Amino acid sequence: MSGHSSSYDPQNGVMKWLDARLPLPRLVHDSFVSYPVPRNLNYAYTFGGMLSIMLVVQIITGVVLAMHYVASADAAFNSVEHIMRDVNYGWLLRYVHTNGASMFFIAVYVHIFRGLYYGSYKEPREVLWILGVVIFLLMMATAFMGYVLPWGQMSFWGATVITNLFSAIPLVGESIVTWLWGGFSVDQPTLNRFFSLHYLLPFMIAGVVILHVWALHVTGQTNPTGVEVKQKSDTLPFTPYATIKDAFALVVFFVVYAWFVFYLPNFMGHPDNYIPANPLVTPAHIVPEWYFLPFYAILRAVPDKLGGVLLMFGSIAVLFVLPWLDTSKVRSASYRPTYRAFFWVFVVVAIVLGWLGSKPAEGGYVIASRIFTAYYFAHFLILLPLLGIFEKTKPLPGSITESVLGDGGSKGGSAMPSGAAASPETKG
Amino acid sequence: MLQKDTALSDTALENDTSASGEDGTRRDFLYVTTAAFGVVAAGAAVWPLVDQMNPDASALAMASTEVDISAIESGQSVTVKWRGKPVFIRNRTDAEVEAAKAVPMDELKDPQTDVERAVEGRENLLIMVGICTHLGCVPLGDAGDFGGWFCPCHGSHYDTAGRIRRGPAPLNLVIPPYEFMSETSLRIG
């Protein structure tokens, strides 16, 4: 936290020498070892660490896959099959990378919904939240371009549909699409530039992640009570407490990840992408990857081209102004009974929108998409501003320590000796 | 050392102020012109980086496509490739042409008569870029609620003249530039 002073103490001459010249070990120590975190963080707070590990996994597997992949309309599809069949461990690297994208989005959605539940976007963490939305947008662009690279039918037609979104812009739309394509349809130039950008964007994500963590360490983390840290007994040092918790959650997450990689490697993909791209035939039913489906449902809910595109981008843009739409003074849904109910309704609405996005655009599915799209926006634009005014919130605990130990842990009724529980980091 | 620097810049500042007329100093003029030239130079440096993404000379030079249309039976449709895009050539039946002509203009989102969609005298032949005007999928032939084309991606229905009738697409299917070279030969582009 901002008031946190450095406790780094270099033990040998070399480290002292380095500390006087480039205090990088001090920065790491202060940020990830002695850094104080609220003592009541639960497992919902472990996904941020997981996401940074996933970014590293994707960059490492991506860099080695790029050593074998050929970004050519004639050779791309075959080079991916070559990776799968001929390259040593190519099948493993590719499945880790493709499923890694899905796991990345699972983690980011939990991370975002955790922020929504505990009001992590509220003052003074608006910039932290906005940087998160920027990372989310970069992730979407990166994942989309990555999905184009195998040059299968879904790659090709996904690229066609998504780039055509820009043709909805009045006057200059067609020119922009031609510029994006580098031709008059999705073709060789498009594939080549998508490969270049797919390689670039993860490093831009890494840059924004550094800003995101920086902003986090200026304001400090939120916690399940939403009450700010007030005293030393409210916090624990990052290492070992948060480190171990994050590590355990990561292991569980990797078990699920490995289960997909080794037992269901194509579960989250689409079989049509194992058909080489054919510019003359659109698959009968094209869908994006699962993590885009809610936004795709919003796009298709509107019977007007420009309107659909605006609403789809609007569904993410609304997140940028969320800190100012939610008028409640209380952060955490734990003390906001009405908001908590609407939060879970919103989770269901988001999941149903995803399901609708996977269905054909006809009949009842379109009508349902419209209803759920309307609710999605109503949640942010109507419910959140009004709830802050009308909701009767529960009383907040006096401090984090009090919420964990009751009455500041000072009464003798506690099973543990209060001193030991209040500051276990001082033991031993 | 530090003190000396400060003193020096103070003197410089004094000189500067004393030299200033009402229309600013020579230094102001240099700042503004340098900044202006800097902006022009930055723009000139960025433009090649942007323009390199536009279609290159080889994409622009792609030749037109010639098609032998003698083998297309009445009621049959073929798809040919032109500039990387599919082009539909449909030899419409008389009934389909009549149906297209009978549609009142006020039912159309993008009003165009059937005569505007096909060459007079050869109006059975309908030649269109086979790309949905919504988000660029290839519509399926002989499908949809109007006997024309149906786009499976987002549910746009086109009639037997390729006009948008229902769904999110804003415009009729595009008619490419084409001409008949002879009774049996067509050149697109």
Side-chain angles (χ1 to χ4, degrees):
Chain A
M1 260 145 262
S2 42
H4 167 63
S5 63
S6 181
S7 64
Y8 179 65
D9 181 23
Q11 292 301 311
N12 61 52
V14 175
M15 295 312 276
K16 278 180 184 146
W17 182 87
L18 182 61
D19 190 51
R21 284 156 181 80
L22 179 73
L24 183 63
R26 178 181 294 278
L27 180 69
V28 171
H29 179 89
D30 293 346
S31 306
F32 305 107
V33 180
S34 67
Y35 180 73
V37 295
R39 64 185 301 146
N40 58 340
L41 295 185
N42 58 29
Y43 278 106
Y45 285 82
T46 59
F47 284 81
M50 258 177 233
L51 284 163
S52 40
I53 301 291
M54 284 312 299
L55 181 61
V56 173
V57 169
Q58 291 300 82
I59 288 177
I60 292 173
T61 52
V63 166
V64 293
L65 284 170
M67 295 177 185
H68 305 279
Y69 172 78
V70 182
S72 142
D74 297 325
F77 187 90
N78 289 336
S79 77
V80 172
E81 286 310 301
H82 162 74
I83 289 170
M84 292 301 289
R85 291 152 199 257
D86 301 338
V87 175
N88 299 334
Y89 293 104
W91 61 273
L92 177 66
L93 294 165
R94 176 165 172 262
Y95 279 155
V96 166
H97 195 73
T98 56
N99 287 283
S102 282
M103 296 306 289
F104 209 145
F105 275 94
I106 289 173
V108 87
Y109 282 130
V110 175
H111 191 65
I112 291 170
F113 277 111
R114 190 269 306 169
L116 293 176
Y117 188 86
Y118 290 118
S120 305
Y121 46 84
K122 283 173 183 283
E123 199 262 319
R125 296 182 182 81
E126 301 94 330
V127 172
L128 172 61
W129 172 263
I130 287 169
L131 288 168
V133 181
V134 170
I135 295 170
F136 181 48
L137 282 174
L138 287 171
M139 276 177 64
M140 293 174 96
T142 310
F144 158 65
M145 291 189 203
Y147 194 59
V148 173
L149 302 185
W151 212 239
Q153 273 290 66
M154 282 294 169
S155 298
F156 184 90
W157 292 102
T160 300
V161 168
I162 301 296
T163 48
N164 262 303
L165 293 178
F166 294 92
S167 71
I169 300 168
L171 301 175
V172 294
E174 292 296 334
S175 311
I176 290 176
V177 172
T178 305
W179 178 72
L180 288 172
W181 287 342
F184 302 101
S185 58
V186 173
D187 208 335
Q188 173 64 44
T190 326
L191 175 63
N192 228 321
R193 65 190 55 180
F194 276 20
F195 180 53
S196 167
L197 294 173
H198 182 71
Y199 207 118
L200 166 71
L201 286 183
F203 297 98
M204 292 179 67
I205 292 177
V208 186
V209 166
I210 289 171
L211 297 181
H212 190 65
V213 174
W214 185 7
L216 173 73
H217 284 208
V218 169
T219 61
Q221 271 140 317
T222 52
N223 64 84
T225 65
V227 177
E228 291 288 350
V229 168
K230 291 174 181 165
Q231 56 209 4
K232 194 165 184 312
S233 67
D234 287 348
T235 62
L236 297 171
F238 190 97
T239 301
Y241 296 95
T243 319
I244 288 295
K245 194 161 189 156
D246 280 0
F248 178 70
L250 183 70
V251 168
V252 174
F253 185 74
F254 271 17
V255 169
V256 178
Y257 185 6
W259 180 61
F260 277 114
V261 168
F262 292 109
Y263 293 96
L264 294 167
N266 289 301
F267 180 75
M268 293 186 279
H270 199 289
D272 276 28
N273 221 27
Y274 284 103
I275 302 167
N278 179 354
L280 298 185
V281 180
T282 307
H285 180 202
I286 72 163
V287 283
E289 288 282 81
W290 69 266
Y291 36 81
F292 293 140
L293 288 173
F295 306 104
Y296 194 60
I298 291 172
L299 169 74
R300 298 192 307 181
V302 189
D304 175 73
K305 179 171 166 175
L306 181 59
V309 172
L310 286 179
L311 223 56
M312 188 187 73
F313 284 113
S315 66
I316 296 167
V318 75
L319 295 174
F320 281 107
V321 289
L322 172 61
W324 295 275
L325 290 173
D326 184 350
T327 53
S328 177
K329 293 276 180 282
V330 176
R331 281 203 190 86
S332 168
S334 305
Y335 302 96
R336 300 183 61 190
T338 322
Y339 172 67
R340 185 165 56 194
F342 281 118
F343 169 83
W344 288 111
V345 172
F346 180 73
V347 172
V348 171
V349 164
I351 292 170
V352 172
L353 271 175
W355 176 73
L356 287 167
S358 73
K359 294 291 163 191
E362 57 197 32
Y365 296 127
V366 175
I367 296 163
S369 299
R370 286 178 191 161
I371 295 168
F372 282 92
T373 299
Y375 186 90
Y376 179 98
F377 284 97
H379 176 85
F380 290 109
L381 300 175
I382 299 171
L383 279 173
L384 287 183
L386 291 183
L387 274 179
I389 300 167
F390 295 110
E391 186 177 30
K392 189 164 162 37
T393 56
K394 292 191 200 165
L396 293 171
S399 69
I400 295 169
T401 312
E402 187 188 309
S403 80
V404 177
L405 305 169
D407 289 346
S410 56
K411 283 185 184 164
S414 167
M416 257 190 289
S418 57
S423 47
E425 76 276 16
T426 59
K427 275 193 293 186
Chain B
M1 188 65 196
L2 189 72
Q3 210 151 13
K4 201 173 171 187
D5 274 352
T6 319
L8 199 70
S9 66
D10 276 352
T11 325
L13 195 70
E14 248 165 64
N15 287 344
D16 196 27
T17 338
S18 62
S20 73
E22 285 188 2
D23 306 321
T25 61
R26 295 202 307 180
R27 180 170 290 167
D28 287 340
F29 173 76
L30 286 173
Y31 277 151
V32 171
T33 44
T34 309
F37 275 91
V39 167
V40 171
V46 165
W47 177 243
L49 296 173
V50 173
D51 192 44
Q52 55 83 21
M53 279 176 66
N54 272 317
D56 60 24
S58 70
L60 292 172
M62 260 196 294
S64 50
T65 303
E66 282 198 31
V67 190
D68 178 5
I69 48 173
S70 60
I72 307 173
E73 301 286 335
S74 181
Q76 195 190 0
S77 179
V78 298
T79 304
V80 297
K81 203 169 165 184
W82 169 68
R83 286 184 150 189
K85 304 173 184 183
V87 171
F88 296 153
I89 305 169
R90 179 143 157 185
N91 191 349
R92 298 183 292 175
T93 63
D94 292 336
E96 284 171 342
V97 176
E98 288 312 312
K101 281 184 171 168
V103 178
M105 282 300 110
D106 55 4
E107 276 186 26
L108 297 173
K109 198 189 228 177
D110 178 16
Q112 265 188 319
T113 61
D114 190 67
V115 182
E116 293 174 73
R117 308 276 302 161
V119 174
E120 219 167 348
R122 305 202 67 164
E123 52 216 353
N124 285 47
L125 279 171
L126 182 63
I127 295 135
M128 307 181 297
V129 175
I131 289 184
C132 181
T133 56
H134 181 222
L135 294 175
C137 297
V138 178
L140 307 168
D142 277 318
D145 295 350
F146 300 90
W149 286 263
F150 172 69
C151 181
C153 294
H154 307 95
S156 292
H157 298 258
Y158 296 89
D159 66 13
T160 52
R163 295 174 296 198
I164 179 66
R165 298 297 290 275
R166 194 188 318 141
L171 298 171
N172 301 333
L173 291 176
V174 172
I175 309 283
Y178 66 86
E179 61 179 320
F180 293 103
M181 308 302 288
S182 66
E183 271 304 298
T184 59
S185 170
L186 167 75
R187 190 177 70 190
I188 304 166

